[in-house]
Structure formats: structure tokens, C-alpha cells
Amino acid sequence: MTDPHPHGGAAEPGLPAPTFFDPSFERLPAPVAAETNAEGPLLLVFDPRADHEWLADAAVALATGWQATGRRTVLADLSLDDPFLGDRLGMPSQEGIVDIFLYGASLARSARVVPGRGFVLISAGTFTEDSTAILRHPRWEQLVSGFRSTGAALLLFVPADAPALDAIARHAGEAILLGGDGVARDAALPLALAGVRVRAHLAPPRGVAAAAALASPRPGASPVPPAGRFPEPEPGQPWTQPAGTAAAAGAASPPAAAVPVPEPGWEEPKPAKRRRAVSPLLLFLLLLALAAAALWFGPQYVEGFPDVVPATLRGTAQAEAAPAPRRSGPVAAAGEELPYSVQVSNYQSAQEAAAFISEQSRRFPEAQFFVVPEEQGGMLWYKVMAGMVGDTTAVLALRDRLLEADVADEEVVGGRYDLVQRRPLAFELGEFRDAEAARARARELSGREIPAYVSPVPYTDGTERWKVYAGAFPDSTRAEALRRTLAAARLPTRLVARAGRPPAAPK
């Protein structure tokens, strides 16, 4: 049964307290009973250490309840390294998420209606060694847009320890946590960085009755069909009724051909090539060139070929011909994206922020400090940030080190989780082949009250250059104050993805 009272464990700061939930009764708690009003998919973030049968049953109960309200609902299994959702439903994995993104499988063909439930399941699909690439795939934007346009609900069943949880979360509007206290600890930071609101936290029931309810079948026993695992609920609202009943109008299983799943076009249609006739003049010039080549090279490679080219002309041409330099491929930046930073403090003047950075840079040379001018609440603040980091593991280590040294102040943002921020965009103000020249340019700009900083960027030819950046922002709206300043100073106002070589870790 569902216990409306919070779970015994303490909730993570900023997250709802866990609530006991027994999916075998299919009575959904109030926070998750109705469909979401937020844009984007809903994440079902689960603790992979929790009981897999309870996790699968909870996800099925949620999808069934939403389908019973009349909302077309699709449940996608993103547990790509260890899928178990389909097996629990008695629907072994066939084509699924991996096949859709890597091999061009049809979305409609990969989606299957769950018998007796009415909602649609997209299984994990073919095994892949790089599940991170799937969660970061650029086609997610197109897929999510297709679901929005059709009004269908998309539930993404994803483990809390997925390395790219923050990437897939950026497409979502809300999340529901499934599991014990560990899921909140693992998922809190990635969801906060992506700006996803946690709607509820459902935890498995405890005690003897709960253990009996969640017990696995005996070895050799026939698998329990989905209908047997989800008995008739007590009378209540439509979302508490089993799919297909009169109370759940519109929730009956449709035929496979009528599955309401968007089918976005993965590839842009290519225009048909028009065949062009060969110009007679072009054909004549080609034959003339072939004849000239034969006269020039024939005597050198074919024995007895008449040499009609004067020796003086051939010698002069050979003397003047210099070996053309071999051109390598185009040189391009090879640095990695560095979207994460730690917010350290706030100041109302650029001079105070600069003085703070001057003092702390001597203590933490590897944690590059820089200032971000940003309007907030109608005032211009000078936010001191630390570090340009490419992954959450490294930025968490930097945050903890700065907190331990009493450099970072978590009160300025409301808590230690909010100290870590994803700010991928910056203004690029120049590129230099010499580090000192780049730093001199940054000092010059800072003297004009345009706080700038430098990042080394490796290139594909093995060299390294230095880019001068200004600011670091989560979006273009937050960058507007600095953009106006740059425009007034006649400086570039192009926002780019901040990239470079991360500084070496402290020894």
C-alpha cells in the first residue's frame, strides 16, 4: 500500500521527503497521481542498488496510472547497461533505444503496447559499450520535440549513477526519484545542474509484509504475469483503476498500428541529383590535355616513344619545378568543453572582486578565479567563479577543497549543491599564440572594467594557443549585461562554448 507519511530517512536539502509506495496496490501517491504540467519528459530516476522488481513495478504503476487518465503515455528504458524493465513485464528486450539512436531503427516499430496496461514500452534494445553516447546524443532534442507536438507523455526510466544523467536531464521538466536515500544523494547534483524539479521521492515499503509483497518467484517457478502482480485496486479515482476498465476510459490497449508514438525524420531528405550532359568543349579540352601529357611524359616512361619536346624546354621546366609543399589537414581546436565552475562569492564592485581574486590566486593557482558581471534582482553583481572543469567529479572535488579552506561561501547561493554551476557560454575576445600576450590582453581589458581571463587550447597540429574569454553564463539572457558592455567598447559580442585544457590537478 501507499504510506502518505514520509520515509524514516532524512531528505536531502531541497528535495521532497521519501514516501513509502507499494505498487502492487496501484494506488498512486497524490504528488505523482496526475500528469505533469512541466515541459519535456518526466525522469524516473532510480537507485540501481534497490530491489529491481520493486523499481520495475513502481515504473509500471506510474505509467499505467498516467495512461488511465487518458494521457497517451510512453515508458522508455534507459537502463542500458543492465536492463530489467522488459523482463519484469514479460516482454524481453528487442529493438529499442540503442537501435533507434545508433542503427536508425523505426521508433514506431520499436514501441510496443504493454498487454493489459495500455501504455507503450520502448525497451533498452541492443547492448552498447558506450551508453553515455546514447544519453548525450543530439537527436534527443528532435525526439522530445516530437512527443511535445503530439501531446504524448514520455517517461524516461534512468539509473541515478548514469554518467550522463545531467545531459539527458536537460531535456526533462520534472523528475520522480525511485529507491532509498541513496538515489537522492546520487541524483541531487545532476538534476540541480540541469534545472530539473524533483516532484516526489517514492521509496519501497519496509517490514515483513513488504518483503512478502516484493518476494521474487522461487527458482523454476513460472513467471508471474503482469496482471497477477498488479491486483484489482480499491475503488477510487480513474488513475487508480487498472487499464482497460470502464473507469479508465480510453486506457484500453490499442492495436500496434495505432500506437501514438511520434516518428520524427532522423535524416533530412536529400534532393535527387540531376544528371548533367557532358559539354563538347569540355570533352575536347580533356582530350587535348591527355595528348599533351602523353607527349611530355611518354619518352620518360615508354621505350621508343618519340620525343618531340625540345631538350632546353624540358630542362628549364624541370629546373624551375619545385616540390609543392605537402598540406596537412585543416588545423582545428582540440580542447574539451569546460562548462562547470564553482561560485565562490558575490560583490557589488569590480574592485572588491578583483582584490579577492588577487589574494586567493596565490593560495590556489590551479583553481583559476575569474569574475562574471551579471544582473540579478535589478542589481549588477560581480560573481567570483573558480575553475573551468569538464566533468562533475572534478568540479565536486574543487568545491569541497574550497569549502574546506573556507574560501567558498555556500550562503551566497543557498546551499553547497548550488555552488556548482553549469555555465558553458562565454564571450571570446581573442586568440594568441603566446601565453603572456594573452594574459597582457586580459589585464588590459580588466583595466577597462571588462573582466577577462585566459584558457589554454590545444590544436590538432600539436600546438597550443590561448583564448581570452569574458564571463561564463548558463544562457544568453544572463549574458545580456556583459554583452551591452562589450558592444559599448566595440568588442566582439559572440557567445561561444567555453573550451580548452583543464588545469592540472593539485599535487
Side-chain angles (χ1 to χ4, degrees):
M1 64 179 177
T2 301
D3 185 350
H5 300 289
H7 191 277
E12 289 288 311
L15 297 181
T19 298
F20 292 131
F21 175 51
D22 185 350
S24 65
F25 286 85
E26 211 172 67
R27 180 185 290 276
L28 299 183
V32 300
E35 64 186 53
T36 178
N37 293 323
E39 291 190 5
L42 176 82
L43 294 178
L44 302 181
V45 184
F46 68 87
D47 184 354
R49 296 158 295 194
D51 183 90
H52 282 194
E53 293 183 359
W54 179 86
L55 293 170
D57 291 354
V60 169
L62 288 167
T64 303
W66 281 35
Q67 177 72 26
T69 66
R71 179 92 181 265
R72 297 175 296 181
T73 302
V74 177
L75 176 62
D77 187 0
L78 300 189
S79 179
L80 305 179
D81 294 331
D82 182 23
F84 56 88
L85 189 56
D87 291 339
R88 181 64 173 164
L89 281 167
M91 301 174 65
S93 182
Q94 298 177 2
E95 285 188 348
I97 292 293
V98 174
D99 306 274
I100 291 170
F101 283 92
L102 292 188
Y103 308 117
S106 167
L107 181 59
R109 188 173 65 249
S110 302
R112 295 177 290 167
V113 178
V114 178
R117 302 281 112 192
F119 69 86
V120 175
L121 173 71
I122 305 177
S123 61
T126 305
F127 174 75
T128 177
E129 294 182 352
D130 189 7
S131 58
T132 300
I134 301 295
L135 299 185
R136 295 190 182 277
H137 205 289
R139 289 177 178 173
W140 274 108
E141 190 64 41
Q142 191 176 7
L143 179 71
V144 169
S145 176
F147 274 89
R148 285 174 179 156
S149 64
T150 60
L154 177 59
L155 310 183
L156 301 178
F157 186 67
V158 60
D161 62 355
L165 177 59
D166 61 324
I168 194 65
R170 287 197 291 274
H171 301 287
E174 293 182 327
I176 296 174
L177 304 182
L178 302 177
D181 296 336
V183 66
R185 290 192 298 270
D186 293 345
L189 178 60
L191 295 179
L193 290 174
V196 175
R197 184 180 78 90
V198 177
R199 184 176 181 179
H201 179 181
L202 304 183
R206 296 181 296 186
V208 178
L214 298 176
S216 301
R218 298 186 308 275
S222 301
V224 181
R229 264 200 321 275
F230 300 98
E232 289 288 333
E234 300 176 20
Q237 300 299 323
W239 56 77
T240 67
Q241 300 301 316
T245 63
S253 302
V259 174
V261 179
E263 181 65 35
W266 294 118
E267 302 292 344
E268 292 294 331
K270 297 180 180 179
K273 294 183 178 180
R274 298 179 59 185
R275 301 189 63 177
R276 298 179 60 185
V278 179
S279 167
L281 177 59
L282 182 61
L283 182 60
F284 171 75
L285 293 176
L286 178 61
L287 293 175
L288 188 62
L290 290 174
L295 291 175
W296 184 272
F297 295 106
Q300 303 178 48
Y301 300 104
V302 181
E303 186 177 355
F305 195 96
D307 189 359
V308 298
V309 179
T312 54
L313 178 60
R314 186 181 297 279
T316 302
Q318 291 177 348
E320 292 178 353
R326 297 187 62 184
R327 298 183 61 184
S328 58
V331 178
E336 62 178 278
E337 291 189 10
L338 305 174
Y340 297 108
S341 295
V342 178
Q343 183 170 348
V344 176
S345 58
N346 285 349
Y347 292 95
Q348 290 184 312
S349 76
Q351 291 75 18
E352 289 179 314
F356 176 85
I357 287 178
S358 178
E359 176 186 354
Q360 300 302 330
S361 294
R362 291 190 293 268
R363 299 177 59 193
F364 303 95
E366 80 286 350
Q368 181 171 1
F369 294 92
F370 57 95
V371 177
V372 176
E374 188 174 310
E375 287 184 350
Q376 186 173 341
M379 297 180 60
L380 181 63
W381 293 90
Y382 294 89
K383 300 183 177 182
V384 177
M385 312 297 294
M388 294 181 289
V389 186
D391 60 82
T392 55
T393 301
V395 78
L396 283 173
L398 176 61
R399 178 203 65 180
D400 293 343
R401 187 162 182 252
L402 295 176
L403 281 172
E404 183 180 358
D406 201 25
V407 175
D409 181 9
E410 60 184 89
E411 296 299 327
V412 301
V413 291
R416 61 189 299 116
Y417 284 118
D418 294 328
L419 286 174
V420 175
Q421 297 182 13
R422 189 176 189 277
R423 292 173 167 261
L425 302 178
F427 293 102
E428 183 179 332
L429 303 183
E431 181 180 275
F432 298 82
R433 293 183 178 274
D434 178 74
E436 187 52 42
R439 295 190 184 103
R441 176 60 170 165
R443 287 193 296 270
E444 175 196 348
L445 292 170
S446 298
R448 297 163 57 184
E449 296 191 354
I450 300 173
Y453 57 99
V454 175
S455 173
V457 180
Y459 273 72
T460 53
D461 62 353
T463 62
E464 195 165 60
R465 305 175 193 179
W466 282 261
K467 288 184 182 291
V468 177
Y469 289 122
F473 304 97
D475 52 56
S476 59
T477 302
R478 304 270 286 274
E480 183 59 25
L482 182 54
R483 189 199 66 78
R484 292 195 301 266
T485 302
L486 295 175
R490 299 182 180 275
L491 291 171
T493 58
R494 185 171 68 95
L495 278 173
V496 300
R498 188 173 62 173
R501 172 176 55 79
K507 297 181 179 179

